[in-house]
Amino acid sequence: MKEMVLKPIGIVRSEVSEPRRAGWEQVTSEIIVDESLTESLDGLEAFSHIIVVYWMHKVFYAGLPRGKIHPQGREDLPLVGIFATRTPYRPNPVGVTVVRLLKRKGNVLRVVGLDAIDGTPIIYIKPYIPRFDSPPHV
Amino acid sequence: MKEMVLKPIGIVRSEVSEPRRAGWEQVTSEIIVDESLTESLDGLEAFSHIIVVYWMHKVFYAGLPRGKIHPQGREDLPLVGIFATRTPYRPNPVGVTVVRLLKRKGNVLRVVGLDAIDGTPIIYIKPYIPRFDSPPHV
C-alpha cells in the first residue's frame, strides 16, 4: 500500500501554546485555512458546529506507547486499553473534535472548544450534522 | 515540520468492495485491529458507539480537486465549498464516522454503519461519548 501522508489544510492560532489535559471547553481559537482553499469553505458558515481533525505535532511518546493506561491519569482507576479512552497517546497523533463555529471570514474560522494548541496543523473539516453524527440510543 | 505519516492500526473487512454514495446505514462490517494492539481495545466493549477514522484508499481525484461541488452530485443544488459538505473528495482522503459497536472479540470489532469498503486502512478509534461528541443547541 502507498504511504498515508497527510497534507496540512490550515493551522490553529490560539493563546494556548502548550498541551494540557482539560479546560478546553471555553477556549476560543482560530483556524487559518490555506488561502488556496478559501472557496472550499463557502457555505460552512451555515452550520453552528463543525468536526475538525488535526495533527498533534507536540505529542510525543515517552518511550514506547503503552497498550493500556489509567484514564485521566488517575491511578485509582483500573487500566483500560488506549482505544477505550480519549488519551492523545495513540499510534497516530490525531485529534477529532466537535467545535462550535462562531464566525467564518474568508479563510479564517473562529471556533470555541478546539483542544489544539497554537500551531497545530489542521487536516480535515466537515459540518457537524446530528442526523449522521449524533446516533440515537447511545 | 516533519511529514505527517499515518500508520494503519487495522483494516476493514466488509462485503462492500467498491465505493458507493449511500446505503451504508445497515451495513455490518468488521474492523480487524492489528494483533499487536489487541490489549489497547480492552474496555471498548463497554461503549455502544465508537468514532472511527479511516483512509479512503480507493478515492482518487479525477483531475484536480475542485474547491466547490454540487451537494450529493445534484446539479439542481447550488455549488458549495467541499468543506461545507460530506464529500469524500478532499485534500486528505480521510473519513470520520460514528458507528454502532455490536461486539468486540479479541482484536475484532463488529460494527454497523461504517461507510468504508473492504480493505480500508483504519487509523483511529475512540469511544463515542455524548458529553463531548454531541453538542447541545446545534
Side-chain angles (χ1 to χ4, degrees):
Chain A
M1 197 182 63
K2 278 169 61 179
E3 260 204 332
M4 302 187 289
V5 180
L6 296 165
K7 296 172 225 162
I9 62 169
I11 199 163
V12 176
R13 285 293 164 232
S14 171
E15 288 179 7
V16 182
S17 57
E18 291 300 324
R20 62 191 201 190
R21 188 182 292 276
W24 292 101
E25 298 78 4
Q26 304 303 323
V27 171
T28 297
S29 52
E30 288 184 339
I31 297 172
I32 316 294
V33 173
D34 192 283
E35 285 187 8
S36 69
L37 297 168
T38 300
E39 73 161 7
S40 297
L41 295 169
D42 288 357
L44 193 64
E45 57 277 358
F47 296 90
S48 68
H49 292 75
I50 60 177
I51 297 171
V52 178
V53 181
Y54 52 93
W55 184 263
M56 297 184 289
H57 63 306
K58 284 211 177 170
V59 167
F60 301 104
Y61 297 115
L64 284 175
R66 290 163 296 173
K68 292 183 164 198
I69 60 165
H70 295 287
Q72 302 152 45
R74 285 178 49 186
E75 299 205 353
D76 56 319
L77 296 178
L79 286 168
V80 293
I82 54 166
F83 296 140
T85 77
R86 319 259 304 183
T87 179
Y89 298 98
R90 295 166 173 274
N92 294 300
V94 162
V96 180
T97 304
V98 180
V99 303
R100 188 151 60 90
L101 178 61
L102 291 181
K103 188 179 181 181
R104 176 226 168 175
K105 190 173 178 186
N107 67 321
V108 179
L109 304 175
R110 196 161 177 80
V111 300
V112 178
L114 180 60
D115 51 347
I117 63 171
D118 189 57
T120 299
I122 299 291
I123 56 185
Y124 181 95
I125 293 167
K126 78 174 169 186
Y128 176 87
I129 300 178
R131 178 162 51 103
F132 300 114
D133 300 313
S134 182
H137 316 304
V138 172
Chain B
M1 196 182 62
K2 278 168 60 179
E3 261 205 334
M4 301 188 289
V5 181
L6 296 165
K7 296 173 225 162
I9 62 169
I11 198 163
V12 176
R13 284 292 163 233
S14 171
E15 289 180 7
V16 183
S17 57
E18 290 300 324
R20 62 191 200 189
R21 188 183 291 276
W24 291 100
E25 298 79 4
Q26 304 303 324
V27 171
T28 297
S29 52
E30 289 184 339
I31 297 172
I32 317 295
V33 173
D34 192 283
E35 285 186 7
S36 69
L37 297 168
T38 300
E39 74 161 7
S40 297
L41 295 170
D42 287 358
L44 194 64
E45 58 275 1
F47 296 90
S48 67
H49 292 74
I50 60 176
I51 297 172
V52 178
V53 181
Y54 53 93
W55 184 263
M56 297 183 286
H57 63 308
K58 284 210 178 172
V59 167
F60 299 104
Y61 296 117
L64 284 174
R66 289 163 294 173
K68 292 184 163 195
I69 59 164
H70 295 285
Q72 301 152 44
R74 285 177 50 186
E75 299 206 352
D76 55 319
L77 295 177
L79 286 167
V80 293
I82 55 166
F83 295 140
T85 77
R86 320 263 297 186
T87 179
Y89 298 98
R90 294 167 172 274
N92 293 300
V94 163
V96 180
T97 304
V98 179
V99 303
R100 187 151 62 89
L101 178 60
L102 290 181
K103 188 180 183 180
R104 177 226 168 174
K105 190 173 179 186
N107 67 322
V108 178
L109 304 175
R110 196 160 176 80
V111 300
V112 179
L114 180 59
D115 50 346
I117 63 171
D118 188 58
T120 300
I122 299 291
I123 56 185
Y124 181 96
I125 293 167
K126 77 174 170 187
Y128 176 87
I129 300 179
R131 177 161 51 101
F132 300 115
D133 300 312
S134 182
H137 315 304
V138 171

